[in-house]
Amino acid sequence: MAVRSIKITPTHARRAALFLLTAAAFGQDFDLLLKGGHVIDPKNGISAARDVGIKDGKIAEVAAGIAANRALKTVDVSAFYVTPGLIDIHTHLYAGTGTAYTGPSSVRPDDHSFRSGVTTMVDCGSSGWRNFPDFKERIIDGARTRVLAFLNIVGSGMAGTPEQNIYDMDVKSAAAMATSHKDIIVGFKSAHYMGPEWISVEHAVEAGTMANMPVIVDFGKFRPERPFEDLVTKKLRPGDIYTHQYLVSVPMLDEKGKVRPYLFEARKRGVIFDVGHGGGSFLFRLAVPAMKQGFGPDSISTDLHITSMNGAMKDMLNVMSKFLNMGMPLDETILKSTWNPAKEIKHEELGNLSVGAPADVAVLRVEKGNFGFVDVSGARLRGNQKLVAELTVRAGKVVWDLNGITREDWDKLGNYGAQGDTRWDATVAGEMRVRPK
Ligand SMILES: [Zn+2]
């Protein structure tokens, strides 16, 4: 580059100072420091003001009073809560060229995840052993969201009129596919089965036993030949999950409005109850009395798909906000959206902010005001608090920044080029970084 004589202006001085700061940043302890937030990390029993230092995509330090000059980039998050990236264990992400939930009824993960603080989504049985490789290649491998999957016990997953073909419920093939992709596949799904037999549940459980993985069940049509009570007290193993906890078909409340005792027995056995809100599976008239009697969920999940996303469900934070406004404390709401689901899917490296864990982080604001929350029958619960995702960090990089809290004001930057640094920032498009002078 040709050396030119330049007149030093305040802008140049600022740029020079910026250059020195950047130069000094090499070899620093952290790429990104989230400073001053209230950290909620249920696994580690932390609910207090802490700074979170991130280096090379991992949590490097969590402590009070970490010096800002130890980081390449420091962000003031003192008005917010800092939590592990949210984990949504019930989603439908096999969007593309197939039919039903292997096509137009599913959504793309990155379209919905980061804007609601979610860094891990688990597809819940959209694919089975026949089409999982296609799902992996077309969706999972290209997503910035961490996408995991429950494999449908039906080989073709949720294609067409799904999940009724008992001859396609192949235990060995399902277990083999799961075992050969055990970094992605977390268990098996039995869903929407209409018939009178237990075969769908039983085959999913057999595959789960064979692959040493949990099973998640949508019970389909509730029939007297296979009572729900038997599902949760006899058929499911400890660690298996029933999703759609507040579905109207679940025999939950007796005539006097009391939660039926078998549900507590099932929970004592170790059966997990998950929200799975969806387009048809969440009623306040069940959830509110059940919560008051101690029958809240073990995990909060959305059942995200094209008909739940614009209906009562909306997104992960909206579902979590419902529980907040039903009286669940914030720390517990975070536990049920981070550490509990991580344990349920046996990915205990996720859902926490331990040193060395993947730096998947949500920075959340609790907005106060007058809000309304709707259930799947269209009834409203009024509330005064709502969770909003200010910042989402995935593998150490900012992937969502609602109000630009990581950015500088444009009118103080002169003739600016691409901002940020690829060591902490994934929100400025790559082509902006090669803008011609
Ligand atoms: Zn579902």
Side-chain angles (χ1 to χ4, degrees):
M1 194 211 269
V3 177
R4 292 176 295 157
S5 118
I6 49 169
K7 203 170 85 189
I8 303 295
T9 65
T11 306
H12 286 116
R14 261 198 307 273
R15 280 193 197 161
L18 212 67
F19 174 77
L20 286 174
L21 276 174
T22 311
F26 287 102
Q28 271 175 321
D29 296 336
F30 312 115
D31 302 323
L32 181 63
L33 177 63
L34 304 175
K35 195 156 172 56
H38 181 111
V39 169
I40 302 176
D41 179 11
K43 181 199 171 182
N44 292 306
I46 298 173
S47 181
R50 291 281 189 278
D51 302 336
V52 177
I54 292 166
K55 177 78 175 170
D56 296 332
K58 298 268 184 348
I59 303 293
E61 191 174 341
V62 178
I66 297 178
N69 64 8
R70 292 177 60 198
L72 173 60
K73 175 69 181 181
T74 298
V75 188
D76 177 4
V77 294
S78 53
F80 310 123
Y81 294 93
V82 178
T83 77
L86 306 178
I87 301 174
D88 184 354
I89 65 161
H90 191 153
T91 60
H92 293 282
L93 308 173
Y94 192 2
T97 56
T99 58
Y101 288 85
T102 63
S105 299
S106 277
V107 300
R108 292 182 161 275
D110 296 351
D111 297 358
H112 296 263
S113 54
F114 302 144
R115 62 192 55 230
S116 32
V118 174
T119 52
T120 297
M121 286 174 149
V122 186
D123 181 272
C124 205
S126 306
S127 76
W129 64 269
R130 287 184 199 279
N131 48 12
F132 174 78
D134 177 60
F135 175 39
K136 177 177 180 296
E137 189 187 325
R138 286 200 298 105
I139 303 287
I140 297 176
D141 291 350
R144 293 165 89 188
T145 310
R146 176 185 283 100
V147 178
L148 305 174
F150 284 104
L151 201 65
N152 203 303
I153 192 57
V154 178
S156 55
M158 293 175 73
T161 307
E163 302 161 289
Q164 306 309 313
N165 183 359
I166 58 174
Y167 304 103
D168 199 24
M169 295 174 182
D170 186 335
V171 173
K172 276 190 186 147
S173 301
M177 183 58 73
T179 307
S180 61
H181 292 281
K182 56 173 183 268
D183 52 332
I184 300 173
I185 295 174
V186 300
F188 302 91
K189 172 98 180 280
S190 161
H192 310 119
Y193 190 59
M194 311 291 279
E197 317 86 353
W198 283 101
I199 186 166
S200 179
V201 168
E202 284 172 349
H203 280 197
V205 169
E206 273 175 52
T209 302
M210 207 175 270
N212 189 27
M213 288 179 180
V215 162
I216 188 166
V217 175
D218 163 320
F219 204 36
K221 190 172 166 63
F222 284 58
R223 305 181 59 126
E225 300 90 336
R226 43 172 175 82
F228 180 78
E229 182 169 341
D230 288 357
L231 173 75
V232 293
T233 59
K234 293 183 183 137
K235 293 284 179 183
L236 295 184
R237 305 160 299 167
D240 287 340
I241 306 160
Y242 173 71
T243 189
H244 304 316
Q245 182 176 0
Y246 301 115
L247 174 74
V248 69
S249 318
V250 173
M252 178 172 291
L253 305 175
D254 66 14
E255 312 73 44
K256 291 183 179 143
K258 286 258 175 271
V259 174
R260 293 175 196 269
Y262 80 89
L263 291 163
F264 294 105
E265 285 166 31
R267 176 165 275 169
K268 219 187 241 171
R269 280 183 68 229
V271 169
I272 308 286
F273 289 87
D274 173 67
V275 174
H277 188 303
S281 309
F282 182 86
L283 289 180
F284 286 122
R285 69 179 168 83
L286 297 179
V288 171
M291 290 268 297
K292 282 198 181 121
Q293 295 172 56
F295 194 62
D298 294 298
S299 52
I300 297 174
S301 71
T302 61
D303 192 5
L304 172 69
H305 51 68
I306 56 153
T307 43
S308 66
M309 68 185 194
N310 289 325
M313 190 283 288
K314 295 181 180 68
D315 62 24
M316 185 68 173
L317 290 176
N318 191 57
V319 178
M320 290 164 67
S321 298
K322 290 180 183 185
F323 284 91
L324 265 187
N325 286 288
M326 284 190 283
M328 186 183 280
L330 178 62
D331 287 13
E332 189 182 334
T333 307
I334 299 301
L335 166 71
K336 292 173 174 184
S337 319
T338 58
W339 180 232
N340 275 8
K343 283 190 292 183
E344 290 169 17
I345 59 172
K346 298 187 179 178
H347 273 260
E348 298 195 4
E349 78 282 14
L350 304 177
N352 67 81
L353 299 175
S354 304
V355 170
D360 293 355
V361 185
V363 176
L364 306 175
R365 173 161 49 90
V366 178
E367 203 168 293
K368 306 282 180 180
N370 295 316
F371 304 111
F373 302 92
V374 180
D375 72 15
V376 297
S377 285
R380 181 176 63 186
L381 171 86
R382 292 170 189 254
N384 57 17
Q385 44 188 342
K386 187 174 218 165
L387 288 162
V388 177
E390 279 290 341
L391 194 76
T392 306
V393 176
R394 166 81 178 95
K397 293 185 183 179
V398 173
V399 287
W400 172 257
D401 180 1
L402 182 65
N403 286 296
I405 59 173
T406 65
R407 321 315 308 192
E408 307 296 330
D409 293 330
W410 73 272
D411 54 355
K412 297 189 177 73
L413 290 171
N415 181 25
Y416 54 87
Q419 298 296 299
D421 183 301
T422 52
R423 281 170 287 179
W424 61 267
D425 181 19
T427 64
V428 174
E431 59 267 31
M432 293 306 294
R433 299 197 181 278
V434 294
R435 190 183 74 154
K437 288 262 180 317

